Amino acid sequence: MTADTASRRPARNSFSHSHDGPRDAESSLLLSGRRSAQPIPSIPPTTQHKVYTAWARPVPSHPLLISSHRQPTPPGAYGGLWGGGAGWGIRVDGPSHGALQYETIQVVKHGPILRDMAFSVDHNFLYVMSETQLTRVPVEACGQYSTCSECLGSGDPHCGWCVLHNTCTRKEKCERSSEPRRFASDIKQCVRLSVHPNNISVSQYSVMLVLEAHNVPELSAGVNCTFEDLAEMDGLVEGNRIKCSSPAEKEVPRIIIDKGDHQIVQLYLKSKETGLAFANTSFVFYNCSVHKSCLSCVSSPYQCHWCKYRHVCTHDPRTCSFQEGWVKQPEECPQLLPAERILVPVNVVKPITLRAKNLPQPQSGQRGYECVLTIQGQELKVPALRFNSSSVQCQNTSYSYDGMDTGSLPVDLTVIWNGDFSIDNPADNKVHLYKCDARRESCGLCLKADPLFGCVWCKGENRCMLKQHCLHSESPWLEHAGPNSKCTNPKITQITPLRGPREGGTLVTIRGENLGLEFKEIQGRVKVAEVDCTPVPWGYIPAEQIVCEMGKAEKSQYAGNVQVCVGECRPEFMATSYKYYYFVVPKLDKLKPSRGPVSGGTIVNITGSNLDAGSNVSIMFKDQNCTYHRRGGQWITCKSHASLHGYGNVTVTVRVDKAYMQKDLRFEYVEDPTILKLEPEWSIFSGYTPVTVTGTNLDIIQNPQIRAKYNGLEAVNKCRVLSPTTMLCQAPALPISLSRQKEVPERPDEFGFILDNVQSVRALNNTSFVYYPNPVFEPLSVSGVLELKPGSPIILKGRNFLPPTSGGNGKLNFSVLIGEKPCTLTVSDTQLLCESPNLTGRHKVLARVGGIEFSPGVVDITSDSPLSITAIMSIAGAGGLLIFIIVVVLIAYKRKSRQSDLTLKRLQMQMDNLESRVALECKEAFAELQTDIHELTSDLDGAGIPFLDYRAYTMRVLFPGIEEHPVLRDLEVPGYRQEQVEKGLKLFGQLINNKVFLLSFIRTLESQRGFSMRDRGNVASLIMTVLQSKLEYATDVLKQLLSDLIDKNLESKNHPKLLLRRTESVAEKMLTNWFTFLLYKFLKECAGEPLFSLFCAIKQQMEKGPIDSITGEARYSLSEDKLIRQQIDYKTMVVNCIHPDNEKSPEIQVKVLNCDTISQVKEKILDAIYKNVPYSHRQKASDMDLEWRQGRGVRVILQDEDVTTKIESDWKRLNMLSHYQVPDNSVVALVPKQVMAYNSVNNSTVSRTSASKYENMIKYTGSPDSLRSRTPMITPDLESGVKVWHLVKNHEHGDQKEGDRGSKMVSEIYLTRLLATKGTLQKFVDDLFETIFSTAHRGSALPLAIKYMFDFLDEQADKHSIHDPHVRHTWKSNCLPLRFWVNVIKNPQFVFDIHKSSITDACLSVVAQTFMDSCSTSEHRLGKDSPSNKLLYAKDIPSYKSWVERYYSDISRMPAISDQDMNAYLAEQSRMHMHEFNSMSSLSEIYSYVGKYSEEIVSALEQDDVARKQRLAFKLEQVVTFMSLES
């Protein structure tokens, strides 16, 4: 504010170009008069005068009065100065006695006010000086007050109220101020206004109102009455009374129900002389008609009346139809009286009688009474009968509600008459509907129901029901408080806790059924592990729960079950738990941290064993409690209190129930941390700028935080302790909304630190921390795209880039990224000059500072050619010559190598011709397959894909072929050895979690000759199941093992590309398992869908043509080994299948082939019926028979083998649909397996051996690696010597020449079929490969595990100076695609709940081989001996290779993942799957290898220095001792 226009309102800060900021105490001027709150001390009394005083702080302790005659004083006043120290004061116009302060204003920016002050010539201003500033201060600022009371209550002696002008001003500025009551100088002289009546109804118009005004001047010029912006009319003045009329009809405010029943309007008196309102009062318009009930109407504070027969509220009782229907008092209203609980059982016809008063009798033409019940949102209307004015009854009706999760449902009840006239229900009476059997599944729960319900336990029905519904006379019911009120067969379902100390005191909670209805029934009748347990009344819930306190157990007692007798200990009244309660000995080990601030707040972690036993735990620091937080088996955490004894050590003790534990554990209270200095003492509104904090004892705080409070809101941020005296904090954001952020600095109301419970640093008094406005960036251009030449600097414009700190050295840490590359910055207040990196093309610009991230746009860097035309022509000529030379050389080379490539070209031409010939067939087949797959996968989103859960998936990868592995079951140990074995395994688990031991253990095992490849894989999988809950540690161990493996590989002079090629070490299998754990989410969200689509597509395409059910060969195949090499005549048919679960549902059309065996038809039918149902949840074909329904009740069971099966010269052919001559569109049904059908095989003539043999081959679910190399051998039936066949006899292959079968140059007809199948499936293969080899998947990020492991391999390559890109590429391919993806592609049953046939497996093997070839860096040259799968995908592999290279390149360019981020991710994965495996069983399985090689392992540990220091060999021997104890 400038000096000329300065007002003395405090909010307007200082004068003479001052800006917002804190007021300097020495530069504030205090103005005083009689009406302020604070007397001025040390002023000697003089004669009576008005006083106006100003002084500068600090007020001196010894006033000095100095007369001043340098300036004329106002009339009737004299001037004087007193002062001392750093400031001076002025006293003007009056005595020095009794002066009062009335205002403080800021005068100058900095420094004290000087003694030389002077008035202006007109005495309206005072000139005030400091060392650097001259300020002109107005003597008064009356205009800042807007009301008479503010003006005259301020205490400023210069100000008064100019009544008709409605303004605060000096008297000489008020027109005609000398006339009576025109100028008020005392607060009692303010105008007061009242009106009568002060409220009217909105339906009353132009009512005469009388206004009475006090302290008004003469109003001869006239006045107007104004109702806010509604209406204005002339007022009639009669002395101090003014008469006005209320608004006309169209001007009355609209009052709707939402706004209540009234509206307050300000009524103003406006002077016609000045045109200004000079007085006002409140006036109320009310609307009775918004009230819809009698009670709310007559209870209104306004003149509202209820018309009973019209059911309306009005201000005019004359509008009621009948005078007797006019209600004035609440007690006269029609209303229901309070009723006791209205109980109505569901589905029981019953009337509901209600007491009431003043019920109106419906008049002629009016309808009668009804009851309206609102049940679960649905209204139910029931006719009602009015007996008299005080009684009404809802007629006989039955009621019900949905669900069994609530036993009693309160239902709103409303009584209405004449359609919608409701009777008031002030007591809010409700009807309680109830079901006896809801939530009362047991006898005890039934009998403890409300006795008024009338529920009994019906023995015959064995459920809870109404007494009148229990009709079994031979078995009476049980009821509460009846002769039969005791439930039999009590049951215990849950015990908590299951372990406790022998000393007793543990509160054991026993939950179950029928546990008595009264406390006395179970009092003294509870035993836990043969120890008396005393029930406590407060924990007893009848029938459901007993809480009892354990007594003391003997040392010989270890465990036992819980026994409860209800009333008496007869078998039918006894309950015994199936779980055991164990006595344990809690022990303490150590605590961390061992010191903390004397103010408390430290989270202390105490470790030991069996610390989760018992029900109640308390921790004492000497004689002070440490507040318990939580606990586990080996730890307890608590929060320390402020020390009562000051600094020093205190003894730590722990009590678990009545067990008292004390070890030499001590906690030291040390001096609270202090904060000495902040550097810098500023930030920006968004925070996140570094602040270096200096202090003492900062290292004793576990989680230090920095805080700022502003306008009642608090923000905090993190700090990192660097040393006992230093920590680095990120400034908190100023808690201020973006819309309210100003362009001026702000100081927080509080600024400090959260250091445990240390209160002294929560709000620092010695800091002047200030927040500056955030930097603001402007867009690079209007379009958002800035075009530049290479090397040109990028200028980012904006403001607030340099905070205006006091020292002028405030710098923010900006970072600007062009694309992904940072640029060098030069910063000024309004510009960032960015030296652009060497880039071309379009790149996003991203600026970061503090907590802000902003993109001002995109830069487009395009280069112009800097060369002249001559230079370009010269270069072009030289280039042309060079190209000519290269062409000549190439021609020479081509001629030389032409002969060797002739075969390849011929083969390529043959492939091209074949592909073009089958292209149309492929196109049609693909379109048909796409339609089938779309139908199959239309609901794959969500639950459609039958993913295995995490446990099943990991078990199939880690332990393939093993269905029920021990790691999924509880440890099976004889009872007498259980405690010892568990101790041993816990100790062994601690050793496994010791990195030195684990590495030594693995290395020792791998060095043993008897430790097979199978053992290596098994140990790796078992270790990963144990470490599932500690994946950070598992990753650390894995990295060390891989590093060792790389070192070993390079030392043994093996080619680096062989690394990770085969599973020859524990590390390689652990790597597979590591990816298995961490890529499950990626499989479910991204890669699973295309893999499942490929599997379905292969299965569908294979089943379109014949498949030999014995050999697994098919007409459509990707694998040459599984191709039917002869022409099979077949026809596609449709059979209409009746749904096995619902015969009335529509028939399902299923496509089959007439050459399908009956088993194949059954499988296809089951696939159609149970589409998208997991395979394990389906019915199995082997459990069903196929029934052909021929009409007129004729039903034939079709089977693969029966009495009609044809046998020719020792060959028995399986029955097909064509064998039974089943026509197209026949009706079939799957029925449960018959024991003997009319056409079944006679067991005495033909054996079933061969059938079961080929069924087993088809349903083989183990690892399919061996399937490709194994053609199922068709061996003669042992009893009859008959061989079974389907489409192809085995000798038909055996009779071919060896050269024909073995040659890889496939004959044209077979290659055509392979190509047709490949072309049909091409899109599905492409989709899968593209998903796997892409770094962006539907917006989700690349899995962290892949980036992290690839970076680790690059680090290892750098460490060993391996710069060959082919080696690095091969390492990554062996690490992820070969170890994980090939396994998943070949075995989709590891991921999905599906069945994989041998032909599907063979095709997936070809896809997996192609996948492996795509990841290889070596060139595959085609020749006549090339495998058929390489010929099939010869054209595609180069494209796939480019995808792989781009994928690896994209990953390498991504920002590295910090160990902190990776550990956080691993910890989250561990937490999600912590309890998937039984760690005790896993440890037991691993220990079996210790037993086998214990001497070698102990020897290795004794030779290792670190292991020797940690006494690991001794600990292992302890484990061996525990595990081998026989007693």
Side-chain angles (χ1 to χ4, degrees), residues 641-707:
H641 289 206
S643 172
L644 298 176
H645 309 289
Y647 313 132
N649 283 304
V650 291
T651 305
V652 178
T653 57
V654 178
R655 182 184 290 275
V656 176
D657 298 331
K658 289 184 179 178
Y660 180 78
M661 289 171 283
Q662 182 172 9
K663 193 181 176 180
D664 189 19
L665 299 182
R666 292 185 171 274
F667 182 81
E668 183 184 5
Y669 281 110
V670 299
E671 188 177 350
D672 284 343
T674 60
I675 306 297
L676 304 176
K677 180 184 172 187
L678 305 180
E679 180 66 33
E681 285 192 295
W682 59 266
S683 182
I684 55 177
F685 288 164
S686 63
Y688 286 89
T689 60
V691 178
T692 302
V693 182
T694 307
T696 61
N697 282 355
L698 300 176
D699 59 328
I700 64 172
I701 303 300
Q702 294 163 308
N703 182 27
Q705 292 177 300
I706 188 169
R707 67 183 283 270

Side-chain angles (χ1 to χ4, degrees), residues 1139-1189:
H1139 200 293
D1141 301 329
N1142 183 7
E1143 291 215 346
K1144 294 181 181 178
S1145 64
E1147 293 169 358
I1148 300 164
Q1149 289 196 335
V1150 184
K1151 285 185 181 179
V1152 296
L1153 306 178
N1154 65 343
C1155 63
D1156 284 344
T1157 65
I1158 307 306
S1159 290
Q1160 289 176 328
V1161 174
K1162 287 193 286 184
E1163 289 287 354
K1164 288 181 179 180
I1165 290 172
L1166 287 171
D1167 283 346
I1169 291 171
Y1170 298 109
K1171 181 173 69 173
N1172 292 331
V1173 174
Y1175 187 76
S1176 60
H1177 297 178
R1178 299 182 181 185
Q1179 298 198 47
K1180 300 294 180 281
S1182 56
D1183 299 330
M1184 311 292 284
D1185 271 334
L1186 185 66
E1187 191 179 73
W1188 175 22
R1189 300 189 175 177

Side-chain angles (χ1 to χ4, degrees), residues 115 270 820 878 1466 1486:
R115 62 182 294 167
K270 187 185 288 185
E820 294 180 357
L1466 293 170
I1486 299 173

Side-chain angles (χ1 to χ4, degrees), residues 551-719:
K552 188 175 180 180
E554 300 299 326
K555 288 190 176 181
S556 59
Q557 291 173 296
Y558 287 92
N561 47 27
V562 177
Q563 283 191 341
V564 176
C565 294
V566 181
E568 50 191 314
C569 283
R570 289 185 5 222
E572 63 267 30
F573 298 119
M574 282 180 63
T576 304
S577 68
Y578 65 90
K579 283 193 174 180
Y580 272 45
Y581 180 89
Y582 297 89
F583 294 109
V584 295
V585 181
K587 292 180 182 177
L588 303 181
D589 185 11
K590 54 188 175 183
L591 84 162
K592 184 181 179 182
S594 58
R595 60 193 197 120
V598 73
S599 292
T602 307
I603 301 295
V604 180
N605 187 52
I606 302 170
T607 58
S609 58
N610 294 321
L611 297 180
D612 59 345
S615 57
N616 185 40
V617 62
S618 63
I619 304 100
M620 299 296 291
F621 284 11
K622 197 174 181 181
D623 52 358
Q624 277 185 265
N625 188 34
C626 181
T627 304
Y628 164 75
H629 264 201
R630 52 201 187 98
R631 59 176 175 157
Q634 298 175 340
W635 53 272
I636 297 177
T637 58
C638 68
K639 188 175 185 179
S640 68
H641 289 206
S643 172
L644 298 176
H645 309 289
Y647 313 132
N649 283 304
V650 291
T651 305
V652 178
T653 57
V654 178
R655 182 184 290 275
V656 176
D657 298 331
K658 289 184 179 178
Y660 180 78
M661 289 171 283
Q662 182 172 9
K663 193 181 176 180
D664 189 19
L665 299 182
R666 292 185 171 274
F667 182 81
E668 183 184 5
Y669 281 110
V670 299
E671 188 177 350
D672 284 343
T674 60
I675 306 297
L676 304 176
K677 180 184 172 187
L678 305 180
E679 180 66 33
E681 285 192 295
W682 59 266
S683 182
I684 55 177
F685 288 164
S686 63
Y688 286 89
T689 60
V691 178
T692 302
V693 182
T694 307
T696 61
N697 282 355
L698 300 176
D699 59 328
I700 64 172
I701 303 300
Q702 294 163 308
N703 182 27
Q705 292 177 300
I706 188 169
R707 67 183 283 270
K709 191 173 183 181
Y710 185 82
N711 283 349
L713 299 174
E714 185 173 13
V716 297
N717 213 333
K718 294 180 181 178
C719 296

Side-chain angles (χ1 to χ4, degrees), residues 342-360:
I342 304 168
L343 300 175
V344 179
V346 299
N347 300 323
V348 173
V349 177
K350 183 177 178 180
I352 300 171
T353 305
L354 302 165
R355 291 190 309 116
K357 64 178 181 179
N358 308 318
L359 295 179

Side-chain angles (χ1 to χ4, degrees), residues 773-1064:
N774 283 336
V776 178
F777 293 91
E778 295 176 3
L780 287 173
S781 66
V782 178
S783 64
V785 179
L786 179 66
E787 294 186 356
L788 290 175
K789 303 299 179 204
S792 300
I794 300 168
I795 299 174
L796 303 182
K797 295 182 179 180
R799 60 183 186 277
N800 305 332
F801 291 164
L802 289 177
T805 56
S806 56
N809 58 351
K811 287 187 179 179
L812 290 166
N813 186 18
F814 287 91
S815 67
V816 176
L817 295 178
I818 312 299
E820 294 180 357
K821 289 195 175 183
C823 67
T824 309
L825 293 172
T826 306
V827 185
S828 69
D829 187 44
T830 59
Q831 287 187 350
L832 290 182
L833 185 67
C834 166
E835 301 291 340
S836 64
N838 186 20
L839 290 171
T840 56
R842 281 200 171 205
H843 301 280
K844 183 181 177 183
V845 179
L846 189 66
R848 294 191 184 119
V849 57
I852 306 168
E853 190 173 275
F854 180 77
S855 175
V858 174
V859 290
D860 190 357
I861 305 171
T862 53
S863 59
D864 290 336
S865 174
L867 299 176
S868 64
I869 295 174
T870 310
I872 291 170
M873 290 180 67
S874 302
I875 291 170
L881 183 62
L882 184 62
I883 290 169
F884 178 75
I885 294 168
I886 291 170
V887 168
V888 170
V889 171
L890 284 173
I891 290 170
Y893 174 78
K894 194 73 176 173
R895 283 181 175 175
K896 213 162 190 178
S897 59
R898 191 171 182 181
Q899 199 63 37
S900 60
D901 288 342
L902 204 57
T903 307
L904 177 62
K905 287 181 77 175
R906 191 180 299 124
L907 184 61
Q908 192 66 53
M909 284 174 63
Q910 183 187 15
M911 291 288 293
D912 290 348
N913 289 335
L914 286 174
E915 284 199 5
S916 62
R917 284 162 59 186
V918 300
L920 184 61
E921 181 185 343
C922 285
K923 207 169 183 180
E924 292 171 358
F926 175 76
E928 184 181 351
L929 181 63
Q930 188 77 348
T931 304
D932 293 349
I933 295 296
H934 178 72
E935 290 172 5
L936 185 78
T937 60
S938 57
D939 53 348
L940 285 186
D941 291 335
I945 299 178
F947 282 104
L948 292 170
D949 61 36
Y950 181 87
R951 180 186 292 185
Y953 152 79
T954 48
M955 288 304 295
R956 290 195 180 186
V957 180
L958 269 61
F959 306 101
I962 302 177
E963 286 294 327
E964 283 294 321
H965 197 279
V967 301
L968 299 178
R969 301 194 299 268
D970 288 341
L971 184 63
E972 296 175 357
V973 182
Y976 70 94
R977 290 196 59 210
Q978 183 165 1
E979 187 173 349
Q980 297 294 341
V981 170
E982 284 186 359
K983 281 183 182 177
L985 290 178
K986 282 180 182 175
L987 188 55
F988 186 53
Q990 293 171 12
L991 286 175
I992 291 291
N993 284 307
N994 183 307
K995 186 177 175 182
V996 176
F997 173 86
L998 184 55
L999 291 173
S1000 178
F1001 174 70
I1002 292 170
R1003 290 165 185 157
T1004 306
L1005 288 182
E1006 288 187 321
S1007 65
Q1008 305 307 310
R1009 298 190 60 159
F1011 192 64
S1012 65
M1013 293 297 172
R1014 184 188 181 94
D1015 289 337
R1016 290 165 204 257
N1018 194 36
V1019 167
S1021 295
L1022 290 169
I1023 288 172
M1024 288 302 281
T1025 59
V1026 171
L1027 301 184
Q1028 165 75 76
S1029 59
K1030 293 186 177 179
L1031 282 177
E1032 306 105 299
Y1033 170 61
T1035 305
D1036 189 26
V1037 171
L1038 175 60
K1039 284 167 65 179
Q1040 185 62 53
L1041 289 172
L1042 289 174
S1043 179
D1044 293 352
L1045 187 65
I1046 292 168
D1047 294 345
K1048 183 179 173 185
N1049 178 273
L1050 297 174
E1051 284 170 11
S1052 61
K1053 301 287 195 264
N1054 287 337
H1055 195 286
K1057 287 188 178 182
L1058 296 177
L1059 180 72
L1060 305 175
R1061 179 66 59 86
R1062 297 170 62 192
T1063 305
E1064 294 180 345

